[in-house]
Amino acid sequence: MGVLNVTPDSFSDGGRYADLDAAVGHGVRLRDAGAHLIDIGGESTRPGAERIDAATEADRVLPVIRELTAAGVLVSVDTSRARVAEAALAAGAAVVNDVSGGLADPDMARVVRDAHCPWVLMHWRGHSREMRELATYTDVVAEVRAELAERIDAALAVGVAADRLIVDPGLGFAKTAAHNWELSARLPELLDLGYPLLFGASRKSYLGGLLTAPDGTPRPTAQREAATVATSVLAVAAGAWGVRVHDVRATADALAVWAATGRPRLAVPSHEKKPAQHDHEHEVRP
Ligand code: PMM
């Protein structure tokens, strides 16, 4: 999944694709670089960001969705508003990527059910302005898993088909760097939910915090690409269904190498295996 933020203030690509031609051109380039899906967002979700209104969000994303789908590009809309999702689907989007997992807008489940489209349920605890304070967990993996299971149950209860759902741990959303690393290390426990898993680590600040300069300065956003590629390969080798990235070519190249090597799967050390996990899902091939 290639990221296309049509926002003035997203942390990585904010302001770069606010112009329609630039946004469409970039979406086509991401597709040509190997993205199967282009994720178009009109509202920044970086920590601390203030919300914009639905009309502004729709005005930003709809023209880009129309043009990209007309050019044959498969598009998802990154929104947690039912009204924006509905308009985006009417404009040609095929997938709803909801960072709130259906929590932010009670109408979202109905919109997705009626459209019968795939729905990414990301783990979320609150809007950007408040999410730093919500990053408290005893066991982050167990709690993210349980909260995702609640979102799945809520979607199924409204009549969304199980085969339309994709889960996402929501790296950086009400998570500290330590939480993000723990989730990355224990992905099989989330895969154990039985749903395709999307993994969005691209350029996030915990990668910058890992790659500090000798004086402790975090690595700038644009220089986190090698680390992003590593997260992509590790996530897919652990069993992730998809990765959401800004630089599609780099990740696509790395995944091509992984595929040519026989799609080796990460082994889960036996002492860490839970009874519910199945050996064949984590075997090392070839
Ligand atoms: N991260 C961001 C935005 N949308 N959607 C999903 N499903 N998963 C994510 O991790 C995710 C997301 C924030 O990153 P951006 O500002 O680069 O888009």
Side-chain angles (χ1 to χ4, degrees), residues 5 11 45 78 97 99 120 122 168 173 198 200 204 244 246:
N5 286 319
F11 80 94
T45 49
D78 185 344
N97 173 27
V99 298
V120 179
M122 199 193 79
D168 184 324
F173 287 80
L198 179 66
K204 285 188 175 168
R244 180 181 180 280
H246 300 85

Side-chain angles (χ1 to χ4, degrees), residues 91-153:
V95 175
V96 173
N97 173 27
D98 179 357
V99 298
S100 83
L103 275 172
D105 189 332
D107 286 337
M108 187 66 101
R110 180 191 52 77
V111 166
V112 169
R113 178 198 62 199
D114 293 351
H116 207 66
C117 65
W119 186 16
V120 179
L121 299 174
M122 199 193 79
H123 177 263
W124 184 87
R125 282 187 164 181
H127 288 290
S128 303
R129 141 176 50 80
E130 60 193 8
M131 68 186 175
R132 280 200 193 93
E133 296 85 78
L134 299 171
T136 53
Y137 304 85
T138 308
D139 178 340
V140 66
V141 180
E143 286 164 63
V144 166
R145 188 186 192 286
E147 288 166 33
L148 281 174
E150 278 174 25
R151 302 319 309 148
I152 292 166
D153 289 347

